[in-house]
Amino acid sequence: MEAPIRAREALGFILFSLLFSICRSSSLNHLLISNAERRIDLSSHIVKVYLTLKVENAGSTPTSEVFLSFPPTQVDHLATVEALVTKGKRKKTTLVRLDVKPTELPDAPNDAKYFAIYLANPLKSGESTTLEVLYLLTHSQEPFPAEIAQSESQLVYYRDSVLILSPYHIKQQTTFIKTPSTKVESFTRVEPSNRAGTEIKYGPYEDHPPYSFSPILIHFENNSPFAVVEELVREVEISHWGNLQVTEQYTLVHAGARHKGVFSRVDFQSRPTLNGASSLRYLLARLPPRVHSVYYRDEIGNISSSHLRTDSRKSELEIEPRYPLFGGWKATFVIGYGLPLQDFLFETSDDRRYLNFTFGCPLLETVVDKLTIKVVLPEGSKDPSAVVPFPVEQHLETKYSYLDVVGRTVVVMEKKNLVPTHNSHFQVYYTFKPIFMLAEPLMLASAFFLFFVACVAYLHIDLSIRK
Amino acid sequence: MAAPETSTAAVPTLYTNNTLRNAFGGVLSFFILLLIGVLAFSIRLFSVIKYESVIHEFDPYFNYRVTQFLTKKGIYEFWNWFDDRTWYPLGRVIGGTVYPGLTLTAGTIWWLLNSLNIPLSVETVCVFTAPIFSAFASWATYLLTKEVKGAGAGLTAAVLLAMVPSYISRSVAGSYDNEAVAIFALIFTFYLYLKTLNTGSLFYATLNSLAYFYMVCSWGGYTFIINLIPMHVLLCIVTGRYSSRLYIAYAPLVVLGTLLAALVPVVGFNAVMTSEHFASFLVFIIIHVVAFVYYIKGILSPKMFKVAVTLVVTVGLAVCCAVIAVLIALVASSPTKGWSGRSLSLLDPTYASKYIPIIASVSEHQPPTWPSYFMDINVLAFLVPAGIIACFLPLSDASSFIVLYIATSVYFSGVMVRLMLVLAPAACITSGIALSEAFDVLTGSIKFQLPGVTSNAEVDAGETSSDTSEAQTDEVKAEKPDDTSKNRPSKKSKKKERELAENPPAKATAKAKAKAEKKRLLALPLEASVISLLLLVVLGAFYVVHSVWAAAEAYSAPSIVLTTRSRDGLHVFDDFREAYAWLSHNTDVNDKVASWWDYGYQTTAMANRTVIVDNNTWNNTHIATVGTAMSSPERAAWEIFHSLDVKYVLVVFGGLIGYPSDDINKFLWMVRIGGGVFPHIKEPDYLRDGQYRIDSQATPTMLNCLMYKLSYYRFVETDGKAYDRVRRTEIGKKYFKLTHFEEVFTTHHWMVRIYKLKPLKNRIRGKAKKSKSKTSSTSSSKRSGTKKKNPWL
């Protein structure tokens, strides 16, 4: 839709559109950022950026939207953007979460993409507020060299702009970059910049106009395994007999520098720190408490290398893949477990039931490229609706499981590019009459009854032609 | 199950006040049978409980893969399946070379369950197919033995079969192999044969051919049936037991059975062309001649009959001679005399070791040792002779069949340890008969000597049922049935008459029983009976304990995952699956993996990679090529593998943890099989003074061959001494480099090592051309031609 409208604007309403854009950009120019501090954490393969913006309304009209802009290359890897605002006076500050939504601005230079932060209270003229923004980037560290041998450590590039890309004028800005170790091969120097330990400091830079951009490249060692789940299918099956069965199918890949040449077990076993430093040896999955019947297997059988630790608040499942994963190596596996239903299924006041369960992947420090959650509702449930705190694709399916006749409704939710911060709760509401629970036992009982009746009948009927 | 039971119980009319008791016996034996089924199923679940629900060993993986294909692609695709992922570059026509019975059975079960919306995976169905069919087999044993010696013997035989270790070894959960289904089919075919023989019903004869068809679908061992039944028919004819029932039992089986057998693609025209089937046709002709003679005898006067006989015999002899001459000429024209290698090695136990090392190399094709009899059939071995004696008292058509069955199967089991499986049901049946008869006698004499004969309720079910059959026999004898009713009771009465006519002094148990029943004489003393009963129970208990132990400890290991118990808990060696999973996820889907043929099925099933050879050893030359490569020096091996488009070489190595069945221990077979086709590989080159060794005394050929190098590459770095825990010695050559291969994966316990062929390097002109000319020849026949000339060096 956007393109034809724009074409029409360009053709017929040039004047109007020009005026409009001027208006919009001028409304942007009301705001300015008096101070910006950015901390980029590169210690794992998920890039965490903490941005503290002090926004000031220099214009005359109150505004309630603050725009963040990202270069198009970053937007593709942007997993989540969250914004908080500090409320209250000096001591008693509380953080309030704000709505963040992707938006379009008509005059975006070089296809920059925008996110709008909606302030709770409009920012009046002359006022200022401090926003805390957190955004996570995945797949943003490029291994270089792209292929390493077993004994080499993994070096990666990180590219960014030293100046924060913003539609607003920034008076003063500083960027801190935290690297996982002190081994930094090189970094672009933009004075004033200096490196101390694992931290590189850029800035402060004064007075940069909107859309200032100054690329930097940091080449550093990052031996944390790049655990990426290419595809994760979680199936949550509700049984009103008291169990919640979760089955998770993983396709795991080590997305770091590709392994090159020989894999020598003797080196790997005898010198574990030097060899395969970036290899993925185990994963930790955080499961809900009171988990039972946990299994960990793949398509050719059980994988015996796992440990489960449970306490009253959480369960931790430590799993080792069948083999250590080097860069580019893949593995698939399935984790399944049962949970007590009363911990997750609740009733609303209007007699509907809802499942409250975590979205996202229970594995720590992993990126999920594509997640599909299937909530299998019991047979006979109606009017399903899902409430998810962030936009997902949804559709319904039907699944036939043990002795189903009409099939079970499955609510399918799909989301791309997930990080552990997406592990928030979602709800699936539905209505269900408990009488349906008896359908299958009754069916079985009647089938057996008919069978026995048939047997009795057969034994008492004489089918012979001749006496 | 219930129908025949109640009918048996309903027969006796003499004991009219006992109908309730008989009905009770029928219900009791029904529940006993149900429990036997449960026992047969559950005793085989040790592997699932101790390990996991997984397919076992080698062949089951192939069957599992075929079943997966069947369930995914459907039956028509399955018949036409040409598998290009094995026997590269030849491929294999799976649909036409596989016995489809097992696959179709499991596929049908899976389809049935899924159409009832029971979402079991194909793997689960495959894992539990064998235990389910063991339950069926024990029920079939009950039916078969009931045809021979009544329900009591039937129940005893069924319970023995449910837990006979020999059968357990092939049918634990996960052992998804042809035999699991085939033993049921075998017993059931025999049951239907005997049922037809006893009743003369064409209905059962048709069912019999269908059961035979199922057996042909399931296992190559169907030739045992098609030879044993003719033998029995011949025996009956020779001993003057020809009857129209025999004709009905045999002729439809041959005609229908052969037609049906020819429908199975793997058998096809073999059903009429190979020597394994000739016996059945010969007997088919004989039985017709005999039937004709009996018919002529019926319509001619004795004098005319004599004239006719002389006439026919002279003409017939001439014709027969001509026909036999033609047949012999035909058979002699084929090099193996029309027999397949495996069948020949049955007839001549030394055949395989002389001519076909590939058959001899399989451990299950070796002759068994004496302890393995004790291990596999345990106390049955001692009960079998008693059972055979019991079969002779009185000898009926059915019991003579059992005698013949046990005699032939004992011979076959002596040739090949694998055929112990055929012996097991026979041993169970005869032992069941022996035990049941012994119990009959002993309890009978106790009952006779106790003053009040009111202890009926305490008598166990087996005894009740045999009482029933006994009563039945008595009743029929009293009736003296007319000739028109050609059913079992009449036959039994004939038996009785004969037995009465020539009754030698009672010395065996069964005879004593008959007398005790008849005249209430010759009963054993009370104490002796009680003690013998106790001893028999102890014997049975010993059998049960042994079977459970065998099921739990000896036969439950899936062999793809090994466990050892040590002081600090259970150690799991899951290296095979580690390697296969690695191959499956981290190599290209079209890469070819070379390994010794043992691992072919597993590689295709678990890793989904193309293999050069696999456990279906149909092409000796191809296997010899791999054997030659493994026993050649690195460079020559690289060229062989490269010419076969191999990307990875997989070897199994147990030296680090002491896993004895690794490739180094199998290596001599590779040399032998390779040397059988490519004469430049000579076994003595690998032996020092006739001894196979890998230590410093080993021959240079041995220390330089590919298998040695791939197994021991960098092994010395693990402990500094390179001590091989399987061979219990330090290896001969510790430090060496690989020039044409590189290690790409070694599992956690070093059990599987995977090497990659290094790519061609830029070489000087002359050499490059040479290798090019070699690799360019792609057709296999051409390649093997050049190979024989070229010593690969």
Side-chain angles (χ1 to χ4, degrees):
Chain A
M1 278 312 277
E2 202 63 36
I5 287 172
R6 275 204 189 162
R8 271 199 308 183
E9 280 174 357
L11 286 170
F13 305 95
I14 289 175
L15 195 70
F16 176 76
S17 75
L18 267 176
L19 276 172
F20 176 76
S21 65
I22 287 165
C23 284
R24 276 304 286 263
S25 59
S26 65
S27 85
L28 286 177
N29 287 339
H30 287 319
L31 295 178
L32 64 86
I33 295 169
S34 54
N35 191 8
E37 188 190 278
R38 185 169 55 155
R39 291 183 179 275
I40 304 176
D41 183 359
L42 299 176
S43 51
S44 82
H45 65 119
I46 302 169
V47 179
K48 300 185 187 77
V49 183
Y50 304 92
L51 196 62
T52 312
L53 300 174
K54 196 167 183 205
V55 185
E56 203 177 305
N57 191 348
S60 52
T61 49
T63 181
S64 60
E65 289 179 347
V66 179
F67 294 97
L68 297 174
S69 63
F70 294 95
T73 47
Q74 243 176 23
V75 162
D76 296 340
H77 299 139
L78 195 63
T80 176
V81 182
E82 286 172 18
L84 303 167
V85 67
T86 44
K87 270 239 172 111
K89 302 287 178 218
R90 298 274 163 197
K91 292 278 164 69
K92 295 183 278 178
T93 52
T94 47
L95 290 169
V96 178
R97 181 179 286 262
L98 299 175
D99 272 354
V100 183
K101 279 185 186 140
T103 47
E104 296 274 336
L105 284 186
D107 58 342
N110 292 329
D111 295 331
K113 297 282 189 285
Y114 295 90
F115 280 79
I117 302 173
Y118 298 97
L119 299 176
N121 307 315
L123 197 62
K124 294 195 187 86
S125 173
E127 277 186 351
S128 69
T129 183
T130 307
L131 298 174
E132 300 280 346
V133 179
L134 165 70
Y135 61 92
L136 302 184
L137 299 168
T138 59
H139 298 288
S140 297
Q141 298 182 28
E142 181 203 345
F144 188 86
E147 290 194 337
I148 54 168
Q150 188 183 345
S151 58
E152 291 168 354
S153 57
Q154 180 171 267
L155 300 173
V156 293
Y157 277 151
Y158 176 69
R159 295 165 212 275
D160 205 338
S161 164
V162 74
L163 301 173
I164 299 166
L165 189 76
S166 170
Y168 309 114
H169 184 91
I170 303 178
K171 277 186 179 164
Q172 193 189 39
Q173 55 180 312
T174 328
T175 299
F176 300 92
I177 297 177
K178 188 168 174 283
T179 55
S181 68
T182 53
K183 283 185 188 162
V184 177
E185 296 282 307
S186 68
F187 63 99
T188 314
R189 289 184 180 274
V190 182
E191 290 307 327
S193 60
N194 69 321
R195 183 166 85 88
T198 60
E199 200 171 69
I200 304 169
K201 183 184 177 191
Y202 285 100
Y205 305 111
E206 308 282 342
D207 280 331
H208 278 278
Y211 302 114
S212 304
F213 195 82
S214 164
I216 50 163
L217 179 68
I218 303 168
H219 193 200
F220 60 99
E221 185 191 72
N222 188 352
N223 273 331
S224 73
F226 283 27
V228 174
V229 179
E230 286 189 327
E231 190 170 4
L232 169 61
V233 180
R234 299 182 85 194
E235 193 178 273
V236 183
E237 192 167 337
I238 301 169
S239 160
H240 276 265
W241 294 99
N243 190 32
L244 193 70
Q245 183 64 38
V246 185
T247 315
E248 299 169 348
Q249 296 179 345
Y250 292 87
T251 310
L252 186 73
V253 67
H254 187 302
R258 293 186 67 81
H259 179 69
K260 177 176 69 178
V262 173
F263 166 66
S264 169
R265 179 67 72 169
V266 65
D267 288 339
F268 184 73
Q269 280 173 337
S270 57
R271 291 175 284 276
T273 48
L274 289 176
N275 269 280
S278 65
S279 69
L280 180 61
R281 288 159 212 247
Y282 66 90
L283 291 159
L284 206 60
R286 190 155 291 160
L287 305 178
R290 303 217 284 156
V291 67
H292 64 87
S293 336
V294 182
Y295 63 85
Y296 167 49
R297 56 168 291 153
D298 64 3
E299 61 266 40
I300 55 174
N302 180 48
I303 308 172
S304 47
S305 46
S306 61
H307 304 281
L308 180 69
R309 288 182 290 269
T310 51
D311 58 40
S312 59
R313 277 178 295 121
K314 63 175 191 303
S315 311
E316 275 187 338
L317 179 69
E318 186 188 312
I319 55 176
E320 279 176 50
R322 282 196 187 275
Y323 40 87
L325 286 180
F326 282 83
W329 288 12
K330 286 186 183 180
T332 58
F333 55 88
V334 179
I335 299 176
Y337 45 91
L339 293 166
L341 191 69
Q342 65 267 29
D343 293 3
F344 299 95
L345 195 77
F346 306 98
E347 266 187 74
T348 59
S349 50
D350 57 339
D351 220 23
R352 277 161 73 85
R353 288 150 205 272
Y354 70 96
L355 172 83
N356 188 31
F357 203 67
T358 48
F359 205 87
C361 165
L363 295 181
L364 303 183
E365 285 297 307
T366 47
V367 172
V368 183
D369 285 350
K370 188 185 175 209
L371 171 74
T372 310
I373 292 198
K374 298 180 174 181
V375 179
V376 184
L377 303 176
E379 196 179 20
S381 42
K382 291 196 175 67
D383 317 320
S385 64
V387 178
V388 191
F390 30 81
V392 291
E393 281 177 41
Q394 281 187 32
H395 62 274
L396 294 180
E397 278 177 6
T398 308
K399 183 192 171 185
Y400 292 92
S401 184
Y402 290 92
L403 297 171
D404 286 348
V405 179
V406 293
R408 305 181 185 196
T409 314
V410 184
V411 181
V412 185
M413 288 164 276
E414 284 178 16
K415 176 147 176 65
K416 295 211 162 93
N417 204 5
L418 271 89
V419 285
T421 49
H422 283 111
N423 289 5
S424 49
H425 285 80
F426 70 96
Q427 290 81 34
V428 175
Y429 291 86
Y430 63 97
T431 52
F432 179 74
K433 291 202 181 66
I435 192 75
F436 281 108
M437 283 164 69
L438 294 175
E440 276 156 16
L442 285 178
M443 211 164 70
L444 271 184
S446 48
F448 273 101
F449 178 71
L450 285 178
F451 173 72
F452 287 128
V453 166
C455 281
V456 169
Y458 173 75
L459 289 178
H460 285 83
I461 290 172
D462 192 357
L463 288 173
S464 61
I465 298 165
R466 207 167 46 136
K467 286 280 169 191
Chain B
M1 231 9 60
E5 205 48 53
T6 42
S7 71
T8 326
V11 167
T13 47
L14 206 72
Y15 294 72
T16 39
N17 56 343
N18 273 358
T19 15
L20 193 69
R21 190 188 143 190
N22 290 329
F24 180 67
V27 172
L28 196 64
S29 45
F30 173 73
F31 279 106
I32 289 172
L33 275 177
L34 207 66
L35 286 178
I36 287 173
V38 171
L39 170 74
F41 182 82
S42 51
I43 200 173
R44 286 164 170 83
L45 298 186
F46 276 110
S47 64
V48 172
I49 291 159
K50 288 183 70 182
Y51 294 88
E52 57 180 287
S53 167
V54 73
I55 308 281
H56 288 195
E57 297 199 311
F58 306 107
D59 289 22
Y61 268 98
F62 170 73
N63 298 325
Y64 171 49
R65 182 163 163 257
V66 176
T67 315
Q68 275 182 319
F69 185 90
L70 173 74
T71 49
K72 244 182 249 159
K73 299 278 178 75
I75 181 99
Y76 292 106
E77 288 273 321
F78 165 66
W79 288 126
N80 295 324
W81 185 19
F82 177 80
D83 185 10
D84 58 355
R85 301 197 73 78
T86 180
W87 291 97
Y88 184 84
L90 309 172
R92 179 185 168 193
V93 187
I94 301 269
T97 58
V98 78
Y99 285 100
L102 177 75
T103 316
L104 291 178
T105 308
T108 313
I109 296 175
W110 180 84
W111 174 83
L112 209 68
L113 288 175
N114 272 269
S115 52
L116 287 175
N117 281 333
I118 299 175
L120 291 183
S121 67
V122 180
E123 190 189 8
T124 314
V125 172
C126 291
V127 165
F128 292 103
T129 300
I132 290 170
F133 271 80
S134 313
F136 291 169
S138 47
W139 292 333
T141 309
Y142 163 76
L143 293 173
L144 171 60
T145 319
K146 206 181 90 179
E147 285 306 309
V148 182
K149 281 284 173 187
L155 287 173
T156 324
V159 80
L160 290 177
L161 187 103
M163 47 188 183
V164 62
S166 168
Y167 186 29
I168 286 178
S169 75
R170 290 313 187 110
S171 62
V172 291
S175 179
Y176 178 56
D177 211 347
N178 289 337
E179 287 92 333
V181 172
I183 292 303
F184 159 71
L186 181 89
I187 300 170
F188 198 62
T189 312
F190 285 156
Y191 155 67
L192 285 170
Y193 171 68
L194 289 188
K195 184 81 185 172
T196 324
L197 197 58
N198 283 345
T199 58
S201 151
L202 205 52
F203 170 69
Y204 284 113
T206 320
L207 281 188
N208 189 18
S209 348
L210 286 176
Y212 172 66
F213 173 58
Y214 185 63
M215 177 71 193
V216 176
C217 280
S218 306
W219 195 31
Y222 75 91
T223 47
F224 181 64
I225 295 183
I226 206 62
N227 284 301
L228 183 65
I229 290 180
M231 272 167 80
H232 178 242
V233 170
L234 205 61
L235 186 79
C236 285
I237 291 171
V238 168
T239 52
R241 288 168 162 270
Y242 172 80
S243 63
S244 56
R245 285 175 289 109
L246 185 69
Y247 182 84
I248 288 170
Y250 186 65
L253 174 68
V254 172
V255 178
L256 274 177
T258 308
L259 278 176
L260 288 170
L263 289 180
V264 183
V266 63
V267 177
F269 279 108
N270 284 350
V272 285
M273 307 245 305
T274 56
S275 301
E276 281 96 343
H277 304 81
F278 278 177
S280 64
F281 300 126
L282 196 68
V283 173
F284 187 67
I285 295 167
I286 291 171
I287 198 170
H288 276 94
V289 170
V290 171
F292 186 66
V293 168
Y294 271 83
Y295 175 68
I296 297 292
K297 203 175 177 181
I299 52 175
L300 290 184
S301 66
K303 206 178 173 187
M304 288 291 283
F305 181 69
K306 256 185 186 166
V307 176
V309 164
T310 43
L311 190 77
V312 169
V313 163
T314 43
V315 178
L317 268 183
V319 174
C320 278
C321 285
V323 169
I324 287 168
V326 169
L327 275 180
I328 287 174
L330 270 178
V331 169
S333 64
S334 84
T336 57
K337 311 276 182 291
W339 293 79
S340 68
R342 264 175 211 169
S343 311
L344 265 184
S345 63
L346 279 182
L347 298 181
D348 173 10
T350 58
Y351 178 83
S353 52
K354 271 190 284 188
Y355 300 107
I356 322 172
I358 205 148
I359 290 182
S361 77
V362 183
S363 62
E364 63 183 25
H365 291 163
Q366 308 292 336
T369 51
W370 286 114
S372 74
Y373 275 96
F374 187 73
M375 177 71 201
D376 275 359
I377 56 174
N378 199 245
V379 299
L380 304 187
F382 311 117
L383 289 170
V384 162
I388 293 175
I389 292 170
C391 280
F392 277 99
L393 302 170
L395 188 69
S396 66
D397 291 353
S399 64
S400 69
F401 179 77
I402 293 301
V403 173
L404 197 66
Y405 177 23
I406 185 97
T408 46
S409 60
V410 164
Y411 169 75
F412 285 134
S413 71
V415 175
M416 232 186 234
V417 69
R418 184 186 186 188
L419 292 176
M420 195 75 95
L421 197 57
V422 177
L423 170 68
C428 289
I429 291 163
T430 43
S431 313
I433 291 169
L435 273 181
S436 155
E437 301 281 293
F439 268 101
D440 251 5
V441 172
L442 298 172
T443 49
S445 33
I446 291 174
K447 205 156 62 173
F448 177 66
Q449 296 194 353
L450 287 176
V453 199
T454 48
S455 57
N456 290 345
E458 289 147 34
V459 183
D460 71 340
E463 209 248 328
T464 319
S465 315
S466 21
D467 269 1
T468 314
S469 72
E470 211 53 56
Q472 183 187 345
T473 322
D474 282 356
E475 171 249 337
V476 173
K477 166 137 175 56
E479 266 182 12
K480 283 267 172 192
D482 51 348
D483 285 340
T484 50
S485 75
K486 292 272 197 265
N487 52 15
R488 182 159 141 262
S490 80
K491 182 177 53 65
K492 278 211 169 174
S493 71
K494 270 189 207 162
K495 245 183 291 159
K496 272 267 150 75
E497 278 176 299
R498 201 177 304 120
E499 180 205 349
L500 280 176
E502 38 181 18
N503 209 352
K507 60 177 180 183
T509 53
K511 249 170 232 176
K513 167 216 69 184
K515 293 231 165 179
E517 284 289 322
K518 296 301 290 176
K519 297 170 192 168
R520 308 265 161 183
L521 280 174
L522 285 171
L524 292 169
L526 183 66
E527 295 79 17
S529 327
V530 171
I531 289 169
S532 326
L533 261 183
L534 280 177
L535 285 177
L536 279 182
V537 169
V538 168
L539 194 71
F542 182 65
Y543 175 73
V544 172
V545 169
H546 173 81
S547 301
V548 172
W549 172 81
E553 301 294 330
Y555 293 134
S556 285
S559 96
I560 55 159
V561 47
L562 313 166
T563 53
T564 55
R565 249 170 246 281
S566 65
R567 267 169 279 107
D568 47 334
L570 192 74
H571 275 275
V572 180
F573 300 98
D574 204 358
D575 286 35
F576 285 108
R577 286 191 297 193
E578 183 183 345
Y580 294 133
W582 184 85
L583 273 177
S584 130
H585 292 302
N586 300 306
T587 59
D588 187 79
V589 75
N590 289 318
D591 283 345
K592 281 86 192 167
V593 180
S595 64
W596 189 233
W597 59 263
D598 295 27
Y599 312 104
Y601 279 164
Q602 291 185 346
T603 311
T604 43
M606 283 197 261
N608 189 24
R609 290 297 171 268
T610 309
V611 294
I612 305 299
V613 291
D614 68 21
N615 309 43
N616 174 266
T617 52
W618 67 276
N619 189 325
N620 192 28
T621 315
H622 220 52
I623 291 179
T625 311
V626 174
T628 307
M630 292 296 190
S631 26
S632 303
E634 215 187 320
R635 173 70 204 272
W638 184 90
E639 280 178 13
I640 296 175
F641 281 141
H642 188 73
S643 72
L644 287 170
D645 222 1
V646 168
K647 197 99 174 271
Y648 297 95
V649 181
L650 179 151
V651 294
V652 173
F653 170 64
L656 186 75
I657 52 153
Y659 171 65
S661 51
D662 65 349
D663 277 348
I664 291 285
N665 274 4
K666 289 171 185 166
F667 181 60
L668 269 195
W669 287 109
M670 303 183 203
V671 174
R672 255 170 234 165
I673 293 169
V677 178
F678 303 103
H680 70 277
I681 300 289
K682 295 182 194 72
E683 194 180 332
D685 290 348
Y686 298 86
L687 303 174
R688 173 75 70 192
D689 306 326
Q691 274 188 315
Y692 178 57
R693 51 201 312 170
I694 44 103
D695 54 5
S696 49
Q697 298 294 305
T699 59
T701 325
M702 179 68 213
L703 294 181
N704 283 312
C705 72
L706 184 71
M707 180 49 75
Y708 179 89
K709 284 192 164 178
L710 297 190
S711 291
Y712 294 114
Y713 177 61
R714 298 189 73 183
F715 179 53
V716 68
E717 291 173 44
T718 53
D719 60 351
K721 285 189 299 185
Y723 181 79
D724 185 322
R725 286 190 176 74
V726 176
R727 267 65 59 176
R728 292 167 192 282
T729 173
E730 280 183 32
I731 62 170
K733 195 169 154 187
K734 296 177 183 174
Y735 300 94
F736 54 85
K737 283 207 166 99
L738 293 173
T739 49
H740 294 83
F741 295 84
E742 62 180 6
E743 183 187 13
V744 287
F745 191 73
T746 298
T747 57
H748 190 250
H749 304 98
W750 289 56
M751 274 167 67
V752 184
R753 312 194 69 183
I754 301 171
Y755 293 84
K756 192 177 182 178
L757 269 75
K758 280 189 183 165
L760 272 175
K761 280 188 184 135
N762 291 332
R763 294 167 199 222
I764 50 167
R765 218 185 170 105
K767 275 195 174 176
K769 259 188 182 170
K770 194 177 157 195
S771 64
K772 216 177 186 181
S773 70
K774 255 174 214 162
T775 50
S776 64
S777 66
T778 44
S779 95
S780 65
S781 61
K782 201 174 166 188
R783 196 185 316 119
S784 65
T786 51
K787 235 175 267 165
K788 272 172 191 163
K789 266 182 271 169
N790 193 333
W792 294 97
L793 282 168

